[in-house]
Amino acid sequence: MPLEIITIPCLADNYAFLLHEPDSGVTALVDAPEAAPIKAELDRRGWGLDFVLLTHHHWDHIDALDELRQIYKPSVVGAEADAHRLPPLDVAVKEGSVFSLSGEDVQVIEVSGHTVGHIAFYLPESKAVFTADSLMALGCGRLFEGSAAQMWQSLSKLAALPTDTMVYSGHEYTQSNAAFALTIEPDNSALQMRVANIKKARSAGVATVPSPLSLELATNPFLRANLDELKQAIGMEGIDSEQVFAEIRKRKDRF
Ligand code: ZN
Ligand code: FE
């Protein structure tokens, strides 16, 4: 059975996600920003919690883990490389690790950049990738620990997934990302259309996460740093894509 995926708004602008297999009842949580809304969603649906998948060590992705662990006793999955600064892990994973969520494969992709040791979880059958603060809707995470080269490599891996994959990222930052994206590619008509839709969604209180990878490829300036049309738009024709990415990231930091 395909997994049911539920988005849970947490804290000011974080998202956590529940993955639920209806036949077995197996349920997993991606990231643990805040206990109360996650517990409320599980209780409302009568679900337990079998797994928690952690993307990276920042507090706004792990803060609720202790409380959820005491109540539901889930198995906690996280990056081996970050085991020293994550809550205690039951399953330590790395690039290329594959584990099963009630029969469905979950592939681990290392996506360092925002932090070193950040991982994404890719579920090919459900056509879903959980990227937290690596690839985000119309953006990418700030480079707190990793280099532009690392983030560009991470984004390039995600960009190579099937284009009908849905991207579940960690924050509702899309509206401010949209304002920035327009400064990079003001003439990108797919971007203009997306920005209008984002504005409508946000004023109706609707989440802009997840988003299809195809839409990110057409509109997200950070994913488009390898394209001649983008390089041209910012006067960097013929420059190496990684350097173009670094320049866009720098501009965003100052935006
Ligand atoms: Zn973070
Ligand atoms: Fe975050």
Coordinates of all heavy atoms in Angstrom, one line a residue, residues 56 58 60-61 114 133 171, ligand 1:
H56 N 19.0 16.1 10.7 CA 20.2 16.8 11.1 C 20.1 17.2 12.6 O 19.0 17.1 13.2 CB 20.7 17.9 10.2 CG 19.8 19.1 10.2 ND1 18.5 19.1 9.8 CD2 20.0 20.4 10.5 CE1 17.9 20.3 9.8 NE2 18.8 21.1 10.3
H58 N 20.3 20.1 14.3 CA 19.8 21.4 14.8 C 18.6 21.2 15.8 O 17.7 20.3 15.5 CB 19.4 22.3 13.7 CG 20.6 23.0 13.1 ND1 20.6 23.5 11.8 CD2 21.8 23.2 13.5 CE1 21.8 24.0 11.5 NE2 22.6 23.8 12.5
D60 N 15.8 22.6 16.3 CA 14.5 22.7 15.8 C 14.1 21.5 15.0 O 13.0 21.5 14.4 CB 14.2 24.0 15.1 CG 15.1 24.1 13.8 OD1 16.3 23.8 13.9 OD2 14.6 24.5 12.8
H61 N 14.9 20.5 15.0 CA 14.6 19.2 14.3 C 14.6 18.0 15.3 O 14.2 16.9 14.9 CB 15.5 19.0 13.1 CG 15.3 20.1 12.1 ND1 14.6 19.9 10.9 CD2 15.7 21.4 12.1 CE1 14.6 21.1 10.2 NE2 15.3 22.0 10.9
H114 N 24.2 22.7 4.8 CA 23.6 23.4 5.9 C 24.4 23.0 7.2 O 24.8 23.8 8.0 CB 22.2 23.0 5.9 CG 21.4 23.6 7.1 ND1 21.1 24.9 7.2 CD2 20.8 23.0 8.1 CE1 20.4 25.1 8.3 NE2 20.2 23.9 8.9
D133 N 16.6 20.9 5.7 CA 17.2 22.2 5.4 C 18.3 22.1 4.3 O 19.3 22.9 4.3 CB 17.8 22.8 6.7 CG 16.7 23.0 7.7 OD1 15.5 22.8 7.4 OD2 17.0 23.4 8.9
H171 N 10.9 23.7 6.4 CA 10.4 25.0 6.9 C 9.5 25.7 5.9 O 9.6 25.5 4.7 CB 11.6 26.0 7.1 CG 12.5 25.7 8.3 ND1 12.3 26.2 9.5 CD2 13.5 24.9 8.4 CE1 13.2 25.7 10.3 NE2 14.0 24.9 9.7
Ligands
ZN1 ZN 18.7 23.3 10.4

